[in-house]
Amino acid sequence: MSGAGGLHIAIIMDGNGRWAQRRGMPRSAGHIQGVKAVRRIVEACAHAGIRTLTLYAFSSDNWHRPGPEVESLLKLLRCYLSTETRRCRRHSIRINVIGRRDRLPGGLVSAIEDSERLTAGCSRMRLRIAVDYSSKHSIVEAARRAPRGGLSAQGFQDLLAQVDHSLPECGPVDLLIRTGGEQRLSDFLLWDCAYAELYFTGHLWPDFGESELREALAEFSRRQRRFGRLLAETA
Ligand code: IPE
Ligand code: IPE
Ligand code: MG
């Protein structure tokens, strides 16, 4: 996957429930299959030289789902952290969970802190996992913490990182991928996606693998990013 080095990719991993329902299985089976796709994509991205990968695992609005589904999602996440931390260390992948922590179960918060501590020295790729994440909430909270005289865009971004428990200097998103066919952002990384290239695919998340990632990166490489300028100036 040439040309992918140094990029920040963000993925809205959508379609687990439909994947399971189409097979007559419970939605939770789709989430389990979704975790397998996460493993594949994390390794493929590290291999491709991606600098930062941000995955949307649980939105703040996902609290509105039925209790058992929420519980199974949070349990899966905890399980993922406990099994994958060692593997990430081996591949030098630094784990960072972004989003609110004040509403998460205590055991999950400890697991998050352990994973972040144990992978703090890893430098090949940053794996950010968004949990209880809402861009609108983060922006409002950062604005509330801003000093009276206001601050620069960079200063605001630093505040946002603080609010989100994000590692500093992750940079803006270069490519945002959403699986599952919907074409919306669902309150994900609104600030960071200001100039992101958007890529929507009908593949359901459990079916998303290395070749689908390659397809997305190939499409990204064909896009012309202008950042408001004229092409001649960006060349
Ligand atoms: C994405 O899959 C995973 C989460 C939102 C946690 P969904 O559970 O939204 O699957 P669909 O969209 O209902 O198929
Ligand atoms: C977005 O998917 C959240 C995650 C993938 C974690 P949703 O399935 O919750 O989004 P909507 O409801 O279709 O916008
Ligand atoms: Mg969905």
Side-chain angles (χ1 to χ4, degrees):
M1 283 182 252
S2 59
L7 294 180
H8 181 172
I9 295 184
I11 308 182
I12 302 176
M13 310 182 289
D14 198 20
N16 293 349
R18 277 165 285 166
W19 184 92
Q21 279 164 340
R22 281 177 197 176
R23 289 165 176 74
M25 294 155 92
R27 292 176 57 83
S28 57
H31 296 314
I32 291 170
Q33 209 59 30
V35 174
K36 293 186 188 165
V38 170
R39 280 199 195 104
R40 282 199 302 269
I41 293 306
V42 167
E43 289 190 10
C45 283
H47 206 242
I50 300 302
R51 175 87 190 106
T52 304
L53 174 66
T54 306
L55 301 176
Y56 207 4
F58 187 85
S59 77
S60 293
D61 285 323
N62 289 149
W63 287 114
H64 300 299
R65 293 190 180 195
E69 178 161 352
V70 169
E71 262 168 48
S72 82
L73 281 167
L74 296 183
K75 218 164 108 189
L76 266 180
L77 182 68
R78 193 169 165 187
C79 196
Y80 176 85
L81 290 174
S82 70
T83 60
E84 296 308 296
T85 297
R86 204 182 304 161
R87 191 140 135 182
C88 283
R89 240 162 93 119
R90 232 182 305 129
H91 291 279
S92 195
I93 296 169
R94 185 169 185 180
I95 296 175
N96 176 208
V97 175
I98 63 168
R100 293 179 66 166
R101 295 192 183 172
D102 57 318
R103 307 191 293 187
L104 300 179
L108 178 56
V109 175
S110 307
I112 290 169
E113 288 168 354
D114 287 348
S115 296
E116 291 184 338
R117 185 171 38 79
L118 289 167
T119 61
C122 299
S123 56
R124 184 177 181 191
M125 184 179 84
R126 291 163 168 189
L127 170 60
R128 299 198 310 164
I129 306 172
V131 178
D132 195 0
Y133 179 86
S134 155
S135 272
K136 277 164 66 175
H137 173 270
S138 305
I139 291 168
V140 168
E141 183 56 26
R144 208 179 55 79
R145 293 186 194 181
R148 263 170 181 241
L151 73 189
S152 63
Q154 182 59 51
F156 190 74
Q157 194 163 305
D158 294 344
L159 260 184
L160 265 180
Q162 216 183 78
V163 168
D164 287 338
H165 303 94
S166 172
L167 291 170
E169 289 151 35
C170 276
V173 173
D174 296 297
L175 170 63
L176 176 100
I177 298 172
R178 181 170 186 145
T179 62
E182 314 294 353
Q183 302 193 0
R184 53 177 171 255
L185 295 179
S186 300
D187 203 7
F188 188 45
L189 302 178
L190 301 182
W191 173 281
D192 320 68
C193 283
Y195 272 101
E197 293 297 325
L198 308 180
Y199 180 84
F200 299 105
T201 167
H203 290 291
L204 303 175
W205 176 247
D207 294 328
F208 196 83
E210 202 172 330
S211 66
E212 287 73 25
L213 177 69
R214 200 174 297 127
E215 225 171 274
L217 288 169
E219 165 68 21
F220 175 79
S221 71
R222 290 192 289 269
R223 303 268 178 98
Q224 289 179 333
R225 305 185 79 192
R226 290 188 288 275
F227 302 97
R229 295 167 172 81
L230 297 180
L231 257 191
E233 293 174 61
T234 53

